[in-house]
Amino acid sequence: ANTPSAKKAARKIARQTATNKAVRAYVRKVEEAIVAGDQTAANEAFKVAQPEIMRASNKGVIPANTASRKVSRMNARIKALSA
């Protein structure tokens, strides 16, 4: 990265990568609880994951619609465990 814009892009990519890894980790915990069929664990993991997903959306790391879709689908799968 030699030009100022390239240096800025490198910094931006590093921030986005860190946020993406965090979001993926939170989503993975929810998915594992859903697959295990443990609704209480899934709910607890979801309560932690949902604000992190929306925070990534607000930072512009992931699109707002993508964040809303992920949250909605996870919530629907958790609710389906009780039925």
Side-chain angles (χ1 to χ4, degrees):
N2 293 325
T3 64
S5 60
K7 289 176 183 174
K8 179 178 179 180
R11 291 193 306 268
K12 184 176 176 183
I13 289 167
R15 281 195 305 268
Q16 289 177 338
T17 301
T19 306
N20 271 328
K21 284 183 178 182
V23 168
R24 275 200 299 270
Y26 287 117
V27 170
R28 189 178 312 115
K29 286 179 184 171
V30 176
E31 295 291 335
E32 287 171 356
I34 291 171
V35 169
D38 188 353
Q39 188 180 14
T40 56
N43 262 326
E44 292 303 314
F46 180 72
K47 284 179 185 175
V48 175
Q50 194 261 347
E52 291 297 327
I53 293 169
M54 298 318 281
R55 189 170 296 123
S57 168
N58 289 338
K59 287 182 177 179
V61 176
I62 59 175
N65 286 351
T66 302
S68 294
R69 186 177 64 244
K70 281 182 183 292
V71 168
S72 178
R73 288 180 180 174
M74 278 194 293
N75 198 24
R77 288 178 65 192
I78 291 168
K79 282 186 179 178
L81 288 176
S82 64

